[in-house]
Amino acid sequence: FLSSLMSFCNSRPTFYLDCKKLQKSKPRMVGIIDEIDSLFSRARNHQHVTIVLDDLDCLSPNLLVGNESKFSARTHSVNPAAVDQSKLIGDRISHLIESATVDAMRRCRECVLSLIVTCSSPDSINPAIFRSSQVELIHYKIPVLSEKGRADILMTMINRNQSEVVVKFDQADISRRTEGFLPRDFEKLALRAIRLYQLDGFSTSFHDSLKKALEDFTPCARISNDTANEYCG
């Protein structure tokens, strides 16, 4: 939701990486590193940009946590190679974040790089990733979107892009149809539905336009990582 909001308000592109899917699709370390490098490389071409690393703890988990952590049970059986891989990826991401931040400051004082990371808990990510960070890290506990939450986000996206006509739709029906959707999916869905509604000359119900837009709509979570990590939003 934060990335979608910044994209709307500040005309800021969002680059998204599904770390869980990347881990499954790229079993070799070199493939993972290449994808991460490519993501940050593309982001550098923009003055104001948001990078989203979804489920980062799948790629670079904290495997050496203290005994008090709920993750400590797996440290006794973890493969040493997995520890090395997690640290290598963590160090790489840390370097890319630092490099991108310095590069943005050199190019323009107004350059803004925002990084959003999702994970199961703040302790689940390899601490090497943010060890050298010079900015304050802010943690939020984000609840899973309820049916009402999905409908509210979609309506917000529609209202931001459609001011000429008051639109209505069956929120309960659309919420059921969009189960598992993420905020950036609703942004894309709203724009498609509005376009269809306008092409029909506002002669049909907006609910029908939404259903039509959903017929061939593929959420970001279902898109292969080769396209999803390039740009969503």
Side-chain angles (χ1 to χ4, degrees), residues 12-56:
R12 184 184 302 179
T14 299
F15 289 85
Y16 171 78
L17 181 64
D18 187 334
C19 297
K20 182 183 294 185
K21 189 168 292 184
L22 175 59
Q23 182 192 41
K24 294 179 180 178
S25 63
K26 304 286 186 179
R28 298 183 60 185
M29 173 66 71
V30 63
I32 293 175
I33 295 297
D34 285 346
E35 289 288 343
I36 295 173
D37 286 352
S38 177
L39 179 79
F40 277 84
S41 177
R42 290 192 300 272
R44 283 189 174 186
N45 294 325
H46 299 269
Q47 184 174 354
H48 305 285
V49 64
T50 299
I51 296 176
V52 179
L53 301 178
D54 203 6
D55 290 317
L56 181 57

Side-chain angles (χ1 to χ4, degrees), residues 73-92:
R74 60 182 175 177
T75 62
H76 300 290
S77 59
V78 70
N79 188 328
V83 176
D84 292 339
Q85 176 173 315
S86 175
K87 185 178 185 305
L88 179 61
I89 294 175
D91 288 342
R92 186 63 177 179

Side-chain angles (χ1 to χ4, degrees), residues 11-146:
S11 299
R12 184 184 302 179
T14 299
F15 289 85
Y16 171 78
L17 181 64
D18 187 334
C19 297
K20 182 183 294 185
K21 189 168 292 184
L22 175 59
Q23 182 192 41
K24 294 179 180 178
S25 63
K26 304 286 186 179
R28 298 183 60 185
M29 173 66 71
V30 63
I32 293 175
I33 295 297
D34 285 346
E35 289 288 343
I36 295 173
D37 286 352
S38 177
L39 179 79
F40 277 84
S41 177
R42 290 192 300 272
R44 283 189 174 186
N45 294 325
H46 299 269
Q47 184 174 354
H48 305 285
V49 64
T50 299
I51 296 176
V52 179
L53 301 178
D54 203 6
D55 290 317
L56 181 57
D57 49 349
C58 290
L59 274 186
S60 185
N62 185 4
L63 298 174
L64 299 176
V65 291
N67 293 330
E68 297 299 322
S69 172
K70 64 180 179 179
F71 298 96
S72 62
R74 60 182 175 177
T75 62
H76 300 290
S77 59
V78 70
N79 188 328
V83 176
D84 292 339
Q85 176 173 315
S86 175
K87 185 178 185 305
L88 179 61
I89 294 175
D91 288 342
R92 186 63 177 179
I93 293 176
S94 177
H95 167 74
L96 290 170
I97 293 173
E98 184 178 4
S99 177
T101 302
V102 172
D103 183 61
M105 293 177 64
R106 285 175 178 172
R107 288 189 291 124
C108 176
R109 289 183 177 272
E110 298 180 355
C111 285
V112 177
L113 169 65
S114 299
L115 179 68
I116 297 177
V117 171
T118 70
C119 54
S120 56
S121 84
D123 296 328
S124 65
I125 298 177
N126 193 314
I129 294 177
F130 301 114
R131 187 170 292 151
S132 61
S133 175
Q134 299 180 6
V135 297
E136 181 182 359
L137 302 178
I138 303 175
H139 303 282
Y140 293 99
K141 185 175 182 180
I142 308 298
V144 177
L145 288 176
S146 63

